[in-house]
Amino acid sequence: MKLYIVPTPIGNLEDITLRALRILKSVDFVLCEDTRTTNNLLKHFEIQQRCVPYHIHNEHKQLSQIIRQIQNSSSVALVSDAGTPGISDPGFLLIREAIMQGIEIESLPGATAFVPALVNSGLPTDSFHFFGFIPHKKGKETLLKKMAELECTAIFYESPHRLLKTLEMMATIIGGDRQITISRELTKIHEENFRGTITQAIERFKEGVKGEIVICLGAARG
């Protein structure tokens, strides 16, 4: 009886580990956000495996049933559509409950978008605060004000259709001259890493943008 937490590539399929492939082959079934996405990944690596849906819309309702399934199996893998489960993806509730039920957990290292975005940002990496996805409306202004005062690098995810509005809000609250990096489509063909000020970012992305986005904000000046 064991729950494996298995990161999957955020874009480039070559980023999956040999250990992850071995575990995906050997478990009794795989818990996944979207069975179509995971089946495509498994098919690419010629893995035949049973996939069971586990996502943000059913994780509360199905938690007890899934725990029973894990208890009745020798091993189960949890994956998300991309990246590491539990990092801005479903996983926390299941992992917490599994711990409470005495289920052994093995978490594999692997892909997650904010780490390469931070490392290649050129901003300090010795101390940082990861916010995940920030609120769409309520609480967004308060959170940006908190980021403005941080004495370390702030990192968060944003969707492409909200990027420009968020940048304009940041310019008003934080100031247009604060250093920022915007990484999109990491590990994919059209990967881009913008580095500059918030004002320069607004000019660069005012016509719109596509792809998954990670924003790194420079620390407040002392």
Side-chain angles (χ1 to χ4, degrees):
M1 183 174 64
K2 194 169 189 177
L3 173 62
Y4 292 96
I5 313 302
V6 182
T8 55
I10 61 174
N12 193 321
L13 295 181
E14 293 180 359
D15 291 336
I16 199 164
T17 67
L18 296 176
R19 182 180 170 200
L21 293 175
R22 174 177 59 80
I23 288 172
L24 290 173
K25 290 176 183 178
S26 65
V27 294
D28 293 299
F29 63 90
V30 176
L31 292 169
C32 55
E33 282 189 270
D34 188 324
T35 56
R36 295 166 298 182
T37 299
T38 301
N39 276 321
N40 285 337
L41 175 70
L42 296 175
K43 183 179 180 181
H44 179 83
F45 290 105
E46 300 181 343
I47 298 173
Q48 294 185 344
Q49 187 56 268
R50 181 165 67 98
C51 293
V52 176
Y54 178 75
H55 45 73
I56 192 171
H57 302 295
N58 76 351
E59 59 178 340
H60 288 85
K61 184 178 180 180
Q62 299 296 330
L63 184 59
S64 297
Q65 179 183 341
I66 289 173
I67 287 292
R68 287 195 297 271
Q69 287 180 297
I70 295 174
Q71 290 171 328
N72 293 329
S73 300
S74 58
S75 61
V76 176
L78 171 66
V79 303
S80 61
D81 286 346
T84 300
I87 304 297
S88 298
D89 280 317
F92 166 70
L93 291 177
L94 178 60
I95 293 167
R96 182 178 64 180
E97 186 64 23
I99 291 170
M100 293 175 63
Q101 297 299 323
I103 295 171
E104 184 180 358
I105 296 173
E106 187 171 322
S107 183
L108 279 64
T112 188
F114 81 84
V115 173
L118 171 63
V119 171
N120 73 29
S121 70
L123 298 172
T125 59
D126 57 329
S127 179
F128 61 89
H129 190 132
F130 174 61
F131 289 89
F133 284 100
I134 63 174
H136 299 177
K137 296 180 181 178
K138 187 177 180 180
K140 185 172 184 177
E141 182 177 347
T142 300
L143 193 57
L144 290 177
K145 287 180 179 178
K146 179 180 178 180
M147 288 186 195
E149 302 301 322
L150 282 179
E151 295 182 357
C152 64
T153 303
I155 313 164
F156 63 97
Y157 296 151
E158 188 55 286
S159 66
H161 67 274
R162 288 195 299 268
L163 176 61
L164 184 59
K165 187 174 182 179
T166 296
L167 289 173
E168 291 172 343
M169 201 170 182
M170 292 173 72
T172 300
I173 295 171
I174 300 172
D177 62 345
R178 184 74 68 89
Q179 289 295 308
I180 192 174
T181 69
I182 299 174
S183 298
R184 68 178 191 90
E185 296 290 85
L186 285 167
T187 80
K188 300 177 184 178
I189 294 174
H190 300 293
E191 175 176 332
E192 178 184 5
N193 292 285
F194 167 88
R195 302 174 183 88
T197 66
I198 294 175
T199 298
Q200 290 169 337
I202 292 172
E203 179 64 25
R204 165 63 184 82
F205 296 107
K206 66 182 180 181
E207 301 300 330
V209 65
K210 297 180 179 179
E212 302 297 323
I213 293 168
V214 187
I215 297 176
C216 296
L217 175 69
R221 295 185 178 92

